[in-house]
């Protein structure tokens, strides 16, 4: 753009685009001119200088052409530069003599220079790009000299892997295993572009050779798979129709009766007439497994707590043959649009779509036969689809997901009716491989609700962890299944199946105080005196009174027998503890009406005789 037009004076103000370009050109041109020489610009007479250079005075706002100007130097022989590489105004000062015979340049200290130069010439020791070059030098000192050589890093990874597999023989003298692991972690983080946190987590889950395979598998996308919608067609007919359109495909595997894997296609697989007619659904192979584990039956009431985008919901509907009722719920209203569209396209008629927070679902509706919970997770099993997971996840993200998953799983369990004739099952699955989001959550649910783990019905997959580092989980977690990209050529997945056997929610126990009075007396009598602590009076307070007149006949008979057995069992160690017990009795004052344990034992035979006499009368 050109210069701006002043609306008041109708004059253009400020330098225009050509003037700005000319000033930049002069700065670059000065680098190639010999000292003391200057080249006049094409649009101004010789001897005139641009604004901010020697020879221009801000007071009269006119171009001056003095015959001679004197050179000055600022402090430290440096000249201040503006952002566009020009000399700042004020770093040069002109002092005009009163007689007007000559113009002098004075420096900041007031001393004038005796050297004379042509007007518009730069100082001899000054280069306009000196500041720019200095900044470039400082940046080059900070930046690495050259990018890392990935081939060298890959060779170092292989070498360290060989050493760690046979560490006792191949290791270097004086180097520990931790040093090798630290170097290997840094190299893998640089080669595969992972964060140090995530790579440390993966090294805890996988052995080193398997870890390399897992990282390599994440660099390759998973095969495209589709699921046949048996509500509208058969897999054989769908395969033949797609082959006629130039699609190269094969059955997914023996474990699936509806899946097809697509190798290549001459037409967009998501825009064929068969897709628009609802004959198939684009769905990952791992997404078929949770529905197969759920095994829905006809005429059941089933809840899909996190249903978007609707692939699992439509698979449940086709297994139920559009009978019963499916409640497809999701907390995100925007994602429910895709659910509604897919259900209409696939011809599902037994589904109801709802928008509700899954954590509050038991308050809304319950009594379902089966519940499928595909919980939101960190996505560490689908890195091939979302490479951003490599670097944008940290410890807080994992723990935040685990906390949400625990709440959702307890809500899913509470939504199931344990008295269902055909159901009472809950399937929990995630697309994550982190132990904190899988086994840890399942073990938490086993402690908080009346559920147990059962077999998923899947013939393949690795068993869940029963121990991880310093944690120990329930042994039944072996029935859970893990799926990995490098092992099963599908996205990383975790599946666990629960069976609910009671609708009651177990309450946490609070120690011996929650026991019945008879159990408290039994614990008190069988405990050795050396184990009695200062809390003994509080425990005795829960026991019934030992006064003969206040004891009913049936309970004392049972207590007499138990008390007599206890006395016989405690007779051998009693002499050794007699002295210690007497010291405790002296230190702790007895309350009125509460005999000491020794006195209570001695009263048992006396009470027996008294009871016999009363019964005899």
């Amino acid at each position: 753009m050109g210069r701006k037009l002043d609306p008041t004076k109708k004059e253009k103000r400020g330098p225009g685009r050509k003037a700005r370009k000319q000033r930049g050109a002069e700065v670059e041109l000065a680098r190639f001119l010999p000292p003391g020489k200057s080249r006049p610009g094409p649009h101004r007479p010789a001897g005139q200088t641009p604004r901010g250079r020697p020879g221009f005075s801000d007071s009269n706002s006119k171009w001056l052409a003095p015959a001679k100007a004197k050179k000055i130097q600022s402090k430290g022989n440096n000249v201040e530069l503006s952002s566009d590489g020009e000399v700042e105004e004020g770093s040069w000062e002109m002092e005009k003599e009163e007689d007007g015979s000559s113009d002098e340049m004075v420096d900041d200290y007031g001393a004038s220079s005796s050297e004379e130069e042509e007007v518009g010439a730069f100082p001899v020791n000054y280069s306009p790009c000196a500041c720019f070059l200095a900044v470039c030098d400082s940046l080059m000192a900070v930046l690495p000299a050259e990018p890392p050589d990935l081939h060298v890093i890959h060779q170092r990874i292989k070498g360290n892997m060989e050493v760690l597999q046979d560490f006792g023989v191949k290791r270097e003298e004086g180097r520990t295993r931790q040093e090798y692991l630290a170097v290997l972690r840094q190299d893998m983080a640089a080669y595969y572009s992972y964060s140090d946190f995530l790579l440390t987590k993966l090294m805890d889950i996988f052995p080193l050779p398997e870890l390399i395979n897992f990282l390599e598998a994440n660099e390759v996308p998973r095969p495209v798979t589709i699921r046949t919608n048996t509500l509208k067609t058969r897999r054989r007919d769908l395969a033949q129709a797609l082959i006629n359109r130039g699609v190269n495909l094969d059955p997914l595997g023996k474990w699936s009766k509806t899946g097809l894997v697509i190798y290549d296609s001459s037409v967009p697989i998501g825009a064929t007439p068969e897709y628009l007619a609802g004959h198939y659904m684009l769905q990952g192979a791992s997404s078929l497994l949770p529905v197969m584990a759920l095994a829905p039956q006809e005429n059941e009431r089933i809840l899909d707590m996190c249903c978007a985008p609707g692939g699992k919901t439509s698979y449940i509907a086709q297994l139920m043959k559009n009978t019963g009722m499916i409640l497809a719920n999701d907390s995100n209203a925007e994602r429910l649009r895709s659910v509604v569209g897919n259900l209409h396209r696939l011809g599902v008629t037994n589904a109801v779509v709802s928008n509700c927070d899954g954590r509050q679902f038991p308050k809304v509706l319950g009594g379902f036969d089966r519940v499928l919970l595909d919980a939101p997770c960190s996505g560490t099993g689908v890195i091939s689809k979302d490479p951003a997971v490599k670097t944008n996840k940290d410890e807080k993200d994992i723990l935040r997901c685990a906390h949400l998953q625990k709440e959702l799983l307890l809500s899913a369990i509470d939504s199931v009716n344990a008295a269902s004739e055909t159901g009472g099952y809950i399937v929990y699955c995630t697309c994550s491989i982190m132990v904190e989001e899988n086994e840890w959550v399942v073990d938490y649910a086993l402690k908080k609700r009346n559920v147990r783990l059962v077999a998923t019905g899947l013939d393949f997959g690795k068993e869940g962890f029963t121990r991880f580092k310093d944690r120990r989980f329930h042994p039944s977690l072996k029935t859970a299944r893990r799926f990995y990209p490098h092992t099963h050529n599908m996205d990383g997945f975790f599946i666990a199946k629960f069976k609910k056997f009671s609708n009651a929610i177990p309450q946490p126990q609070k120690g011996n105080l929650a026991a019945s009075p008879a159990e408290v007396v039994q614990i008190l009598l069988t405990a050795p005196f050396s184990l009695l602590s200062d809390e003994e009076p509080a425990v005795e307070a829960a026991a019934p009174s030992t006064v003969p007149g206040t004891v009913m006949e049936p309970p004392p008979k049972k207590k007499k027998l138990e008390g007599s057995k206890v006395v016989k069992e405690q007779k051998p160690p009693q002499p050794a503890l007699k002295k210690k017990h007497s010291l405790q009795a002296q230190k702790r004052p007895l309350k009125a009406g509460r005999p000491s344990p020794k006195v209570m034992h001695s009263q048992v035979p006396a009470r027996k005789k008294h009871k016999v006499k009363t019964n005899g009368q």
Side-chain angles (χ1 to χ4, degrees):
M1 295 179 64
R3 293 178 291 172
K4 295 182 179 179
L5 183 65
D6 191 350
T8 59
K9 299 181 181 180
K10 303 296 182 179
E11 296 179 358
K12 291 186 177 182
R13 55 185 181 182
R17 180 176 56 182
K18 294 182 179 180
R20 290 195 298 268
K21 287 184 177 181
Q22 178 62 26
R23 280 187 289 179
E26 290 179 356
V27 173
E28 295 296 329
L29 182 62
R31 299 175 55 187
F32 304 99
L33 293 178
K37 300 291 183 181
S38 65
R39 181 179 178 181
H43 298 291
R44 76 173 60 91
Q48 292 188 3
T49 57
R51 188 176 183 85
R53 297 282 174 82
F56 180 80
S57 175
D58 289 330
S59 59
N60 51 14
S61 300
K62 294 181 181 178
W63 292 101
L64 301 178
K68 294 181 181 180
K70 293 187 178 180
K71 169 193 163 187
I72 64 166
Q73 294 180 354
S74 61
K75 301 177 183 179
N77 294 327
N78 293 326
V79 179
E80 299 178 6
L81 297 178
S82 64
S83 59
D84 56 356
E86 297 186 11
V87 182
E88 288 283 358
E89 299 179 9
S91 61
W92 297 86
E93 294 182 1
M94 174 176 289
E95 182 177 283
K96 192 174 183 180
E97 294 184 357
E98 295 180 358
D99 56 356
S101 59
S102 63
D103 295 332
E104 274 192 9
M105 302 299 299
V106 295
D107 59 8
D108 296 335
Y109 298 97
S112 62
S113 176
S114 60
E115 295 183 28
E116 295 183 353
E117 297 181 1
E118 295 183 10
V119 177
F122 285 95
V124 178
N125 299 331
Y126 170 66
S127 175
C129 296
C131 182
F132 175 75
L133 294 177
V135 173
C136 291
D137 292 340
S138 61
L139 291 177
M140 292 303 293
V142 176
L143 296 176
E146 57 183 9
D149 191 350
L150 296 181
H151 180 71
V152 174
I153 294 177
H154 187 61
Q155 293 298 327
R156 190 161 60 236
I157 290 174
K158 287 185 176 180
N160 289 335
M161 289 289 296
E162 294 177 358
V163 173
L164 289 171
Q165 289 178 1
D166 193 3
F167 187 72
V169 177
K170 297 183 179 180
R171 73 183 183 96
E172 295 182 9
E173 193 66 28
R175 295 189 62 184
T176 62
R177 187 179 185 86
Q178 297 300 326
E179 294 177 358
Y180 276 97
L181 289 174
V183 173
L184 179 63
R185 184 173 64 251
Q186 293 177 359
D187 289 342
M188 288 192 297
Y191 188 78
Y192 295 103
S193 302
Y194 280 78
S195 64
D196 187 70
F197 161 76
L198 185 57
L199 204 55
T200 304
K201 287 286 187 181
L202 296 177
M203 292 179 71
D204 294 336
I205 296 175
F206 297 106
L208 289 179
E210 190 176 0
L211 176 60
I212 297 295
N213 296 333
F214 174 77
L215 297 178
E216 290 288 348
N218 286 335
E219 303 300 318
V220 182
R222 303 276 76 77
V224 178
T225 57
I226 62 175
R227 174 182 54 82
T228 307
N229 182 20
T230 56
L231 296 175
K232 292 188 174 184
T233 185
R234 296 183 300 175
R235 185 170 70 168
R236 180 187 305 171
D237 299 337
L238 175 64
Q240 186 62 44
L242 293 178
I243 289 173
N244 294 337
R245 296 189 182 276
V247 180
N248 185 13
L249 53 83
D250 271 334
L252 182 57
K254 295 182 179 180
W255 54 272
S256 174
K257 297 180 180 179
T258 59
L260 292 171
V261 56
I262 307 297
Y263 297 112
D264 53 43
S265 174
S266 59
V267 294
I269 199 65
T272 61
E274 287 79 13
Y275 176 82
L276 299 177
H279 290 183
Y280 64 89
M281 175 76 177
L282 281 168
Q283 191 170 359
S286 57
S287 298
L288 306 177
L289 301 175
V291 180
M292 296 174 61
L294 185 66
Q297 305 298 318
E298 297 182 15
N299 298 313
E300 284 187 338
R301 300 173 70 245
I302 295 180
L303 169 64
D304 189 357
M305 188 168 284
C306 303
C307 65
K312 299 181 182 65
T313 304
S314 58
Y315 192 17
I316 294 173
Q318 80 176 41
L319 292 179
M320 296 173 64
K321 299 179 181 179
N322 264 341
T323 61
M325 191 273 289
I326 304 172
L327 185 57
N329 177 76
D330 201 277
S331 60
N332 190 343
E334 295 295 329
R335 300 188 68 188
L336 285 177
R337 296 180 180 179
S338 61
V339 176
V340 174
N342 284 324
L343 294 182
H344 279 296
R345 181 175 59 85
L346 296 170
V348 176
T349 59
N350 64 340
V352 178
V353 180
S354 68
N355 178 24
C356 180
D357 188 358
R359 294 171 291 185
Q360 307 296 329
F361 210 87
K363 301 178 183 178
V364 179
L365 189 62
F368 292 94
D369 296 313
R370 300 169 194 259
V371 174
L372 173 62
L373 175 59
D374 185 6
C377 61
S378 61
T380 52
V382 290
I383 296 178
S384 60
K385 293 181 180 178
D386 185 12
V389 179
K390 294 179 179 181
T391 55
N392 64 1
K393 300 298 179 183
D394 56 5
E395 186 72 25
K396 292 182 180 179
D397 295 327
I398 303 297
L399 296 180
R400 190 183 299 112
C401 289
H403 179 72
L404 176 61
Q405 290 157 359
K406 291 176 182 178
E407 293 180 332
L408 289 173
L409 182 54
L410 294 184
S411 176
I413 294 173
D414 295 338
S415 301
V416 172
N417 181 18
S420 173
E421 297 180 357
T422 59
Y425 295 98
I426 305 99
V427 171
Y428 171 78
C429 61
T430 65
C431 55
S432 173
I433 59 173
M434 295 288 108
V435 178
E436 290 84 355
E437 300 180 74
N438 297 327
E439 284 85 357
W440 196 353
V441 176
V442 172
D443 188 71
Y444 174 83
L446 292 175
K447 297 176 182 178
K448 294 295 183 180
R449 293 295 185 268
N450 292 320
V451 293
R452 63 174 179 269
L453 285 175
V454 296
T456 58
L458 302 174
D459 299 333
F460 64 105
K462 294 192 175 182
E463 297 180 350
F465 294 130
T466 57
R467 53 188 299 172
F468 179 74
K469 300 176 70 173
D470 57 343
R471 292 188 173 274
R472 300 296 180 268
F473 303 116
H474 198 275
S476 60
L477 271 164
K478 289 184 178 180
T479 59
R481 286 292 175 264
R482 281 176 162 266
F483 302 92
Y484 298 123
H486 62 283
T487 306
H488 308 99
N489 198 19
M490 61 178 65
D491 294 329
F493 231 74
F494 174 84
I495 300 175
K497 187 175 183 180
F498 296 88
K499 169 66 176 175
K500 187 175 181 181
F501 55 85
S502 175
N503 289 324
I505 299 177
Q507 300 296 329
Q509 297 183 358
K510 299 182 180 180
N512 295 335
L513 296 179
S516 62
E519 293 175 347
V520 174
V521 173
Q522 179 67 19
I523 294 173
L524 182 63
L525 294 177
T526 55
F529 295 125
S530 60
L531 299 179
L532 295 177
S533 61
D534 295 336
E535 297 178 358
E536 180 185 356
V539 178
E540 290 180 355
S545 176
T546 56
V547 180
T550 60
V551 178
M552 300 299 293
E553 282 195 13
K557 289 182 181 179
K558 186 177 181 180
K559 292 179 182 178
K560 291 172 193 173
L561 297 175
E562 294 175 354
S564 60
K565 293 180 182 179
V566 172
V567 172
K568 292 180 181 179
E569 293 176 359
Q570 290 185 354
K571 278 183 179 180
Q574 190 171 358
L577 301 174
K578 184 175 182 181
K579 184 176 180 181
K580 186 174 181 179
H581 173 63
S582 61
L583 295 176
Q584 292 179 355
Q586 292 176 3
K587 292 180 181 180
R588 183 172 63 253
L590 297 176
K591 295 183 180 180
R594 290 186 180 179
S596 65
K598 183 177 180 181
V599 176
M600 184 171 60
H601 286 297
S602 62
Q603 285 183 354
V604 173
R607 286 167 57 191
K608 184 176 181 181
K609 294 180 181 179
H610 179 69
K611 293 292 180 182
V612 172
K613 289 182 181 179
T614 54
N615 291 335
Q617 291 176 358

